[in-house]
Amino acid sequence: MDTADQIPVTVLTGFLGSGKTTVLNHLLRQPELNGVVAIINEFGEVALDHLLVESSEDRLALLDNGCICCSVREDLIETLVDLAARRATGAIPPFHRVLVETTGLADPVPVLHTLMTAPDIVGRYRIDGVVATVDAVNGAHTLEEHGEAVRQIAVADRLLVTKTDLASEDALARLAARLAAINPVVSRAHVRNGMVDPARVLDAGLFDPAARSADVVRWFDLASQAANAPHHHADHDCDGGACGHHSHHAHDAGVSSYSLIIDEPIQRDAFARWLDYVAALKGEDLLRFKAIVHVAEQPDAPVVVHGVQHVFHPPITLQGWPSADRRSRLVFIVRGIPRQIIENTLCKFAAVSRAAIQRAAA
């Protein structure tokens, strides 16, 4: 099949809290992305990101089973096959591109390998560029600590450097040097509040791993070997330990995810006090925090909170609840912070009653 007959797929990757969903939200509001379907992969027990993307439901597909580099890979294939079939029959509005947002802990190599080799989709879709977001504040440290982040940069065609207004000139220069060492040919753009020209994201050209570094070629060879070898999704290592999935979604040593649902409104000042405490005490190991909060003072307008390590962004008040569920939902991706500690601090500092805290089903 000629590439003109294949639906282009843009892969949006980037580490936890680097601004992927903010970029996606901005892009889907642009006229250039009319007729684009977004597939969102979430890591954690409670899915939130799809609620925060301002788009009609027929333009979104959610993969919320965990890491897109493992069992969700099969779900990605099924979703793409289903989208193509429904498009062909007119069951959904016609679309001309798919944008896949991976979870922040995903190694993008197995995702790209799947898109390039899965028999059910290679004739229908083609990779049209890999776009990676990188956090100007935490990016350098993240690249030192997490192999997934390095791979996200190494395979990218375009880099979007976010939160540049929060970083010093020296920090930006050091990060630029580190990015150039990992991927010297990638184009870079500074982005604030997710506002990026669609031309910076779309039509990056056919993806060719052979044109990348020796490391990238080796990673794709290993992904090919892994795809052809029998393994168990529940407990295996991607590329000799870079992923290390177990029942608690462990990617690096001690990294885990858990979610809490709170059944009662939370006082604004008390919640802010709790956030300050957690950031000061455990910020280094709070890899990602995101929440939609039922604030007692404004029950009809929920508050969205995002945090990465010690940095918490100003809360955003939505115009209304995105669904009928008005409970607060808190998602944590942490390194070595027990769930019980978070629950205890919520009760002590945010004045949340213990009976109101529900643990999301694992």
Side-chain angles (χ1 to χ4, degrees), residues 162-175:
T162 64
K163 308 178 188 177
T164 54
D165 54 319
L166 303 177
S168 67
E169 290 297 325
D170 286 344
L172 288 172
R174 290 193 299 271
L175 178 61

Side-chain angles (χ1 to χ4, degrees), residues 262 264-274 293-298 328 349-352:
I262 300 176
E264 64 185 18
I266 305 174
Q267 299 292 326
R268 182 190 296 274
D269 289 346
F271 189 76
R273 185 166 58 247
W274 171 77
V293 184
H294 185 153
V295 176
E297 292 85 348
Q298 49 185 58
S328 297
F349 293 96
V352 174

Side-chain angles (χ1 to χ4, degrees), residues 344-355:
N344 291 344
T345 58
L346 275 168
C347 295
K348 182 175 181 180
F349 293 96
V352 174
S353 66
R354 195 167 295 277

